[in-house]
Amino acid sequence: MSKQTINLNVNGQSVSAEAEPRELLIHVLREQLKITGPHIGCETTHCGACTVEMDGMSVKACTIFAIQAQGKEITTIEGLGNPDKLHVLQEKFREHHGLQCGYCTPGMITRAHRLLEENPNPTEEEVRFGISGNLCRCTGYQNIVKSVMAAAEELNTTESAS
Amino acid sequence: MITGSFDYHQPGTLQEAVALLAKLGDGARVLAGGHSLIPTMKLRLAMPEHLIDLQAVRELKKIQVTGAEVCIGAMTTQAELIASDELHRAAPIVRETSLQIADPQVRYLGTIGGNVANGDPGNDMPALMQCLDATFVLSGPDGERSVQAREFYEAAYFTARDDLEILTEIRFAATSGGYAYEKQKRKIGDYATAAAAVLLGKGADGSCEQASIALTNLADTPLYCEAASAQLVENGLTEPSVDAAVASAMSQIDPVDDNRGPAEFKRHVAAIILRRAIQQAWARA
Ligand SMILES: Cc1cc2nc3c(=O)[nH]c(=O)nc-3n(C[C@H](O)[C@H](O)[C@H](O)COP(=O)(O)OP(=O)(O)OC[C@H]3O[C@@H](n4cnc5c(N)ncnc54)[C@H](O)[C@@H]3O)c2cc1C
Ligand code: FES
Ligand code: FES
């Protein structure tokens, strides 16, 4: 089928791309829109490296056709923080060595962001369960969980202070 | 991994969706959450020419509890099932099962309708629906009809649903008593090596008033274990009676060797999982 125009709101900006219906959201984001934060690890819905937020849900962008996301709001790691102003989660991952090679990290943080939106005060077990769709080959998860717990604590303190 | 080419359609109502499916015929498939269909299309095990995306069909997204009746729209996601306190009060086994399906990202998009219509023996909802004695409502060019979950599954990927029918809703009675969905898997997020859904009702005198048992991924369809259920009602939850119920259910299973292990191992696991589910449901009854 011929290409169609796909309009998205990515990280607060209206963007559009021309894509065949069979093109996956991850490919349109990375190859056309040059948003390369979300990675492709497995392309089979297992690793979560491609995780983005779509209308308030964490989704694996390798398992959605871009056309299914027509008109939706997408947030990627680029929309959470940047080198000049890191998101609390990014800050805590840095501080607690929540990454080694960093390949899983954008997906991990994007997922953790939604998890904390829905459950600002998670137990360690809830964090582990909540990020179970994201695989990391390096860290053994220990420091990732620590980082997310630390971010939750920080977010809660700043919130109650303000 | 790129899927084959297809035309994409997004009807806004059920009527439009049914008409479109009838018009496009064999080459068309409906797309719900896409989390079984898209992986299958990537492997080119499915190459539909048309996809009819149901995401805009609002009437298929609902959870209604009216008195003792539960009605769930086919496009309700697993995450929505988990989040509904009303549903949890009416049938807590649904949340318990949903939480054991895949991972958070998959559950945001995966739907109950896709899970039960898919016909994959690995899906967890079909056995749950048999345990609940649910009714599936199907809508096609010739109108609406209902099929019991216990009659729906014919073989792997073959169900009583006609290709031109859309599954619209799932109905079952609210439950009382004890419940359990126990699942053995290789890792979190995996399909079941073996899983069991159990509902048990306990009488004031400690007798078993009601029992319903169904199993996941131990044959090419989900298995409703009628004899094992009857065995518990007749003889209660004594050890020999539970042994007999488990033995009866095990005589029904037909697991195959695959990457989850040899059939012998699965038989072993299935008996343990079912026993745990029975014990857990009884403890909660
Ligand atoms: C990594 C991973 C792990 C998973 N683990 C599990 C697991 O542990 N347990 C489990 O149960 N599932 C698991 N799944 C599958 C997941 O739950 C799917 O979401 C579900 O099986 C299908 O639902 P869907 O809405 O995504 O359907 P789709 O993929 O959109 O559709 C599946 C099939 O059903 C048909 N269909 C869908 N909706 C309807 C309808 N309303 N009427 C008629 N036909 C329809 C489609 O045409 C298609 O043939 C897993 C998936 C992945 C990717
Ligand atoms: S690339 Fe999407 S889950 Fe691995
Ligand atoms: S840090 Fe290397 S995969 Fe997670």
Side-chain angles (χ1 to χ4, degrees), chain A residues 52-113:
Chain A
V52 301
E53 215 167 285
M54 181 174 85
D55 284 359
M57 306 179 289
S58 299
V59 298
K60 294 179 175 176
C62 73
T63 314
I64 302 170
F65 296 117
I67 198 159
Q68 289 176 273
Q70 181 73 272
K72 298 200 195 298
E73 279 185 30
I74 309 286
T75 306
T76 68
I77 187 75
E78 286 91 339
L80 293 180
N82 60 61
D84 297 325
K85 194 174 184 308
L86 293 184
H87 186 272
V88 179
L89 275 159
Q90 292 172 313
E91 190 59 58
K92 294 298 163 190
F93 269 63
R94 192 184 59 77
E95 200 177 309
H96 294 272
H97 303 283
L99 63 147
Q100 289 178 21
C101 78
Y103 201 84
C104 69
T105 317
M108 207 54 99
I109 290 183
T110 312
R111 171 60 199 139
H113 174 255

Coordinates of all heavy atoms in Angstrom, one line a residue, chain A residues 52-113:
Chain A
V52 N 8.6 3.5 24.5 CA 8.3 4.9 24.5 C 7.0 5.1 25.3 O 6.3 4.1 25.6 CB 8.1 5.5 23.1 CG1 9.4 5.3 22.3 CG2 7.0 4.9 22.3
E53 N 6.6 6.3 25.5 CA 5.3 6.5 26.1 C 4.3 7.0 25.1 O 4.6 7.8 24.2 CB 5.4 7.6 27.2 CG 4.5 7.4 28.4 CD 4.9 8.3 29.6 OE1 5.9 8.0 30.2 OE2 4.1 9.2 29.8
M54 N 3.1 6.3 25.0 CA 2.1 6.7 24.0 C 0.8 7.0 24.8 O 0.3 6.1 25.4 CB 1.9 5.6 23.0 CG 0.9 5.9 21.9 SD 0.9 4.7 20.6 CE -0.2 3.5 21.4
D55 N 0.3 8.2 24.7 CA -0.9 8.6 25.4 C -0.9 8.0 26.9 O -1.9 7.4 27.3 CB -2.1 8.1 24.7 CG -2.4 9.1 23.5 OD1 -1.7 10.0 23.3 OD2 -3.4 8.8 22.7
G56 N 0.1 8.2 27.6 CA 0.2 7.7 29.0 C 0.3 6.2 29.2 O 0.1 5.7 30.3
M57 N 0.8 5.5 28.2 CA 1.1 4.1 28.4 C 2.5 3.8 27.9 O 3.0 4.4 27.0 CB 0.2 3.2 27.4 CG -1.3 3.5 27.6 SD -2.3 2.4 26.5 CE -1.9 3.2 24.9
S58 N 3.2 2.9 28.7 CA 4.5 2.5 28.2 C 4.3 1.4 27.1 O 3.6 0.4 27.4 CB 5.3 1.8 29.3 OG 5.5 2.7 30.3
V59 N 4.9 1.6 25.9 CA 4.7 0.7 24.9 C 6.0 0.4 24.2 O 6.9 1.1 24.2 CB 3.6 1.1 23.8 CG1 2.3 1.4 24.4 CG2 4.1 2.4 23.1
K60 N 6.0 -0.8 23.6 CA 7.2 -1.2 22.8 C 7.0 -0.8 21.4 O 6.2 -1.4 20.7 CB 7.4 -2.7 23.0 CG 7.8 -3.1 24.4 CD 8.0 -4.6 24.6 CE 8.4 -4.8 26.1 NZ 8.6 -6.3 26.4
A61 N 7.8 0.2 20.9 CA 7.6 0.8 19.6 C 7.9 -0.1 18.5 O 7.6 0.2 17.3 CB 8.4 2.1 19.5
C62 N 8.5 -1.3 18.8 CA 8.8 -2.2 17.7 C 7.6 -3.1 17.5 O 7.6 -3.9 16.6 CB 10.0 -3.1 18.1 SG 9.6 -4.4 19.4
T63 N 6.5 -3.0 18.2 CA 5.3 -3.8 18.1 C 4.1 -3.0 17.9 O 3.0 -3.4 18.3 CB 5.2 -4.8 19.2 OG1 6.5 -5.4 19.4 CG2 4.3 -6.0 19.0
I64 N 4.3 -1.8 17.3 CA 3.1 -1.0 16.9 C 3.4 -0.4 15.5 O 4.5 0.0 15.3 CB 3.0 0.3 17.8 CG1 2.9 -0.2 19.3 CG2 1.9 1.2 17.4 CD1 3.0 1.0 20.2
F65 N 2.5 -0.5 14.6 CA 2.6 0.1 13.3 C 2.5 1.6 13.6 O 1.6 2.1 14.3 CB 1.6 -0.4 12.3 CG 1.7 -1.8 12.0 CD1 0.7 -2.7 12.3 CD2 2.8 -2.3 11.4 CE1 0.8 -4.1 12.0 CE2 3.0 -3.7 11.1 CZ 1.9 -4.6 11.4
A66 N 3.3 2.4 12.9 CA 3.3 3.9 13.1 C 1.9 4.4 12.9 O 1.4 5.3 13.6 CB 4.3 4.5 12.2
I67 N 1.2 3.8 12.0 CA -0.1 4.3 11.6 C -1.2 4.1 12.8 O -2.1 4.8 12.9 CB -0.6 3.6 10.3 CG1 -1.8 4.5 9.7 CG2 -1.0 2.2 10.5 CD1 -2.0 4.2 8.3
Q68 N -0.9 3.1 13.6 CA -1.7 2.9 14.8 C -1.6 4.1 15.8 O -2.4 4.3 16.6 CB -1.4 1.6 15.6 CG -1.7 0.3 14.9 CD -1.2 -0.9 15.7 OE1 -0.1 -1.3 15.5 NE2 -2.1 -1.4 16.6
A69 N -0.4 4.8 15.7 CA -0.2 5.9 16.6 C -0.6 7.2 16.0 O -0.4 8.2 16.7 CB 1.3 5.9 16.9
Q70 N -1.3 7.2 14.9 CA -1.8 8.4 14.3 C -2.5 9.3 15.3 O -3.4 8.9 16.0 CB -2.8 8.0 13.2 CG -3.5 9.1 12.4 CD -2.5 9.7 11.4 OE1 -1.8 10.6 11.7 NE2 -2.5 9.1 10.2
G71 N -2.0 10.6 15.4 CA -2.6 11.6 16.2 C -2.3 11.4 17.7 O -2.8 12.2 18.5
K72 N -1.4 10.5 18.1 CA -1.2 10.3 19.5 C 0.1 11.1 20.0 O 0.9 11.5 19.2 CB -1.0 8.8 19.8 CG -2.2 8.0 19.4 CD -2.2 6.6 20.1 CE -3.2 5.7 19.5 NZ -4.6 6.1 19.6
E73 N 0.1 11.2 21.3 CA 1.2 11.9 22.0 C 2.3 10.8 22.4 O 2.0 9.9 23.1 CB 0.8 12.6 23.2 CG 0.1 13.9 22.9 CD -0.2 14.7 24.2 OE1 0.5 14.6 25.2 OE2 -1.2 15.5 24.1
I74 N 3.5 11.1 21.9 CA 4.6 10.2 22.1 C 5.7 10.9 23.0 O 6.0 12.0 22.7 CB 5.3 9.7 20.8 CG1 4.2 9.2 19.8 CG2 6.4 8.7 21.1 CD1 3.6 7.8 20.1
T75 N 6.1 10.2 24.0 CA 7.3 10.8 24.8 C 8.4 9.8 24.7 O 8.2 8.6 25.0 CB 6.9 11.1 26.2 OG1 5.7 11.9 26.3 CG2 8.0 11.8 27.0
T76 N 9.6 10.3 24.3 CA 10.8 9.4 24.3 C 11.7 10.0 25.4 O 11.5 11.0 26.0 CB 11.4 9.4 23.0 OG1 12.0 10.8 22.7 CG2 10.5 9.1 21.8
I77 N 12.8 9.3 25.5 CA 13.9 9.8 26.5 C 14.3 11.2 26.2 O 14.5 12.0 27.1 CB 15.1 8.8 26.5 CG1 16.1 9.1 27.6 CG2 15.8 8.8 25.1 CD1 15.6 8.7 29.0
E78 N 14.3 11.6 24.9 CA 14.6 13.0 24.6 C 13.7 14.0 25.2 O 14.0 15.1 25.4 CB 14.6 13.2 23.0 CG 15.8 12.5 22.3 CD 15.5 11.1 21.9 OE1 14.6 10.4 22.4 OE2 16.2 10.6 20.9
G79 N 12.4 13.5 25.4 CA 11.4 14.4 26.0 C 11.5 14.5 27.5 O 10.8 15.3 28.1
L80 N 12.2 13.6 28.1 CA 12.3 13.6 29.6 C 13.4 14.5 30.1 O 13.2 15.3 31.1 CB 12.5 12.2 30.1 CG 11.4 11.2 29.9 CD1 11.7 9.8 30.5 CD2 10.1 11.7 30.5
G81 N 14.5 14.5 29.5 CA 15.6 15.4 30.0 C 16.6 15.6 28.8 O 16.5 15.0 27.8
N82 N 17.6 16.4 29.1 CA 18.7 16.6 28.1 C 20.0 16.8 28.8 O 20.0 17.0 30.0 CB 18.3 17.7 27.1 CG 18.2 19.0 27.8 OD1 19.1 19.5 28.5 ND2 17.0 19.6 27.8
P83 N 21.1 16.8 28.1 CA 22.4 16.9 28.8 C 22.5 18.1 29.7 O 23.2 18.1 30.7 CB 23.4 16.9 27.6 CG 22.7 16.2 26.5 CD 21.3 16.5 26.7
D84 N 21.8 19.2 29.4 CA 21.9 20.4 30.2 C 21.0 20.3 31.4 O 21.2 21.0 32.4 CB 21.6 21.6 29.4 CG 22.5 21.8 28.2 OD1 23.7 21.5 28.4 OD2 22.1 22.3 27.1
K85 N 19.9 19.5 31.2 CA 19.0 19.5 32.3 C 18.5 18.0 32.4 O 17.5 17.6 31.8 CB 17.8 20.4 32.1 CG 17.0 20.6 33.4 CD 15.9 21.7 33.1 CE 15.1 22.0 34.4 NZ 14.6 20.8 35.1
L86 N 19.2 17.2 33.2 CA 18.9 15.8 33.3 C 17.6 15.7 34.1 O 17.3 16.4 35.0 CB 20.0 15.0 34.0 CG 21.3 14.9 33.3 CD1 22.3 14.0 34.1 CD2 21.2 14.3 31.9
H87 N 16.8 14.7 33.7 CA 15.6 14.3 34.5 C 16.1 13.6 35.8 O 17.2 13.1 35.8 CB 14.8 13.3 33.7 CG 13.5 12.9 34.3 ND1 13.4 11.9 35.2 CD2 12.2 13.5 34.2 CE1 12.1 11.8 35.6 NE2 11.4 12.7 35.0
V88 N 15.3 13.7 36.8 CA 15.8 13.1 38.1 C 16.2 11.6 37.9 O 17.2 11.2 38.5 CB 14.6 13.2 39.2 CG1 15.1 12.5 40.4 CG2 14.2 14.6 39.4
L89 N 15.4 10.9 37.1 CA 15.8 9.5 36.8 C 17.2 9.4 36.2 O 18.0 8.5 36.6 CB 14.7 8.8 35.9 CG 13.5 8.3 36.7 CD1 12.3 8.1 35.7 CD2 13.8 7.0 37.3
Q90 N 17.4 10.2 35.2 CA 18.8 10.2 34.6 C 19.9 10.5 35.6 O 20.9 9.9 35.6 CB 18.8 11.2 33.4 CG 17.9 10.8 32.3 CD 17.7 11.9 31.2 OE1 17.5 13.1 31.5 NE2 17.8 11.5 30.0
E91 N 19.6 11.5 36.4 CA 20.5 11.9 37.4 C 20.8 10.7 38.4 O 22.0 10.4 38.7 CB 19.9 13.1 38.2 CG 20.8 13.8 39.2 CD 22.0 14.4 38.5 OE1 21.8 15.2 37.6 OE2 23.1 14.0 38.9
K92 N 19.8 10.1 38.8 CA 19.9 8.9 39.7 C 20.6 7.7 39.1 O 21.4 7.0 39.7 CB 18.6 8.5 40.3 CG 18.0 9.6 41.2 CD 18.9 9.9 42.4 CE 18.5 11.3 43.1 NZ 19.5 11.7 44.1
F93 N 20.3 7.5 37.8 CA 21.0 6.4 37.1 C 22.5 6.7 37.0 O 23.3 5.8 37.2 CB 20.4 6.2 35.7 CG 19.3 5.2 35.6 CD1 18.1 5.4 36.3 CD2 19.4 4.0 34.8 CE1 17.1 4.5 36.2 CE2 18.4 3.1 34.7 CZ 17.2 3.4 35.4
R94 N 22.8 8.0 36.9 CA 24.3 8.3 36.8 C 24.9 8.1 38.2 O 25.9 7.5 38.3 CB 24.4 9.8 36.4 CG 25.8 10.3 36.0 CD 25.8 11.8 35.7 NE 25.4 12.6 36.9 CZ 26.1 12.9 38.0 NH1 27.3 12.4 38.1 NH2 25.6 13.6 38.9
E95 N 24.2 8.6 39.2 CA 24.7 8.6 40.5 C 24.9 7.2 41.1 O 25.9 6.9 41.7 CB 23.7 9.4 41.4 CG 24.3 9.9 42.7 CD 23.2 10.7 43.5 OE1 22.6 11.6 42.8 OE2 22.9 10.3 44.6
H96 N 23.9 6.3 40.8 CA 23.9 4.9 41.3 C 24.5 3.9 40.3 O 24.2 2.7 40.5 CB 22.5 4.6 41.8 CG 22.1 5.4 43.0 ND1 22.3 5.1 44.3 CD2 21.4 6.5 43.0 CE1 21.8 6.0 45.1 NE2 21.2 6.9 44.3
H97 N 25.1 4.3 39.3 CA 25.6 3.4 38.3 C 24.5 2.5 37.8 O 24.7 1.2 37.7 CB 26.8 2.5 38.8 CG 27.9 3.4 39.3 ND1 28.8 4.0 38.5 CD2 28.3 3.8 40.6 CE1 29.7 4.7 39.2 NE2 29.4 4.6 40.5
G98 N 23.4 3.0 37.4 CA 22.3 2.3 36.9 C 22.5 1.9 35.4 O 21.5 1.4 34.8
L99 N 23.6 2.1 34.9 CA 23.9 1.7 33.5 C 25.4 1.3 33.4 O 26.2 1.8 34.1 CB 23.5 2.7 32.5 CG 24.3 4.0 32.5 CD1 24.4 4.6 31.2 CD2 23.6 5.0 33.5
Q100 N 25.6 0.4 32.4 CA 27.0 0.1 32.0 C 27.2 0.5 30.5 O 27.6 1.6 30.2 CB 27.3 -1.3 32.3 CG 27.5 -1.5 33.8 CD 27.8 -3.0 34.2 OE1 28.3 -3.7 33.4 NE2 27.5 -3.3 35.4
C101 N 26.7 -0.4 29.6 CA 26.8 0.0 28.2 C 25.8 1.1 27.8 O 26.0 1.8 26.8 CB 26.7 -1.2 27.3 SG 25.0 -1.8 27.0
G102 N 24.7 1.1 28.5 CA 23.7 2.2 28.2 C 22.7 1.8 27.2 O 21.8 2.6 26.9
Y103 N 22.8 0.6 26.6 CA 21.9 0.3 25.5 C 20.4 0.2 25.9 O 19.5 0.7 25.3 CB 22.3 -1.0 24.8 CG 21.7 -1.1 23.4 CD1 22.4 -0.5 22.3 CD2 20.5 -1.7 23.1 CE1 21.9 -0.5 21.1 CE2 20.0 -1.7 21.9 CZ 20.7 -1.1 20.8 OH 20.2 -1.1 19.6
C104 N 20.2 -0.3 27.1 CA 18.8 -0.5 27.6 C 18.3 0.7 28.3 O 17.1 0.8 28.6 CB 18.8 -1.7 28.6 SG 19.6 -1.3 30.2
T105 N 19.2 1.7 28.6 CA 18.9 2.8 29.5 C 17.7 3.7 29.0 O 16.8 4.0 29.8 CB 20.1 3.6 29.8 OG1 21.2 2.7 30.0 CG2 19.9 4.5 31.0
P106 N 17.7 4.1 27.8 CA 16.5 5.0 27.4 C 15.2 4.3 27.6 O 14.2 4.9 28.1 CB 16.8 5.2 25.9 CG 18.2 5.0 25.7 CD 18.6 3.9 26.7
G107 N 15.1 3.0 27.3 CA 13.8 2.3 27.5 C 13.6 2.1 29.0 O 12.4 2.2 29.4
M108 N 14.6 1.8 29.7 CA 14.5 1.6 31.1 C 14.0 2.8 31.8 O 13.1 2.7 32.7 CB 15.9 1.2 31.6 CG 16.0 0.3 32.8 SD 15.1 -1.2 32.8 CE 16.4 -2.4 32.4
I109 N 14.5 4.0 31.5 CA 14.2 5.2 32.1 C 12.8 5.7 31.7 O 12.0 6.1 32.5 CB 15.2 6.3 31.9 CG1 16.5 6.0 32.7 CG2 14.7 7.7 32.3 CD1 17.6 7.0 32.6
T110 N 12.5 5.5 30.4 CA 11.1 5.9 29.9 C 10.1 5.0 30.6 O 9.0 5.5 31.0 CB 11.0 5.7 28.4 OG1 12.2 6.3 27.8 CG2 9.8 6.4 27.9
R111 N 10.4 3.7 30.8 CA 9.4 2.9 31.5 C 9.3 3.3 33.0 O 8.2 3.3 33.6 CB 9.9 1.4 31.4 CG 9.1 0.4 32.3 CD 7.6 0.4 31.9 NE 6.8 -0.2 33.0 CZ 5.7 0.3 33.5 NH1 5.1 1.3 32.9 NH2 5.1 -0.3 34.5
A112 N 10.5 3.5 33.6 CA 10.5 3.9 35.0 C 9.7 5.2 35.2 O 9.0 5.3 36.3 CB 11.9 4.0 35.5
H113 N 9.8 6.1 34.3 CA 9.1 7.3 34.4 C 7.6 7.1 34.5 O 6.9 7.6 35.4 CB 9.4 8.2 33.1 CG 8.6 9.4 33.1 ND1 7.5 9.6 32.2 CD2 8.6 10.6 33.8 CE1 7.0 10.8 32.4 NE2 7.6 11.4 33.3

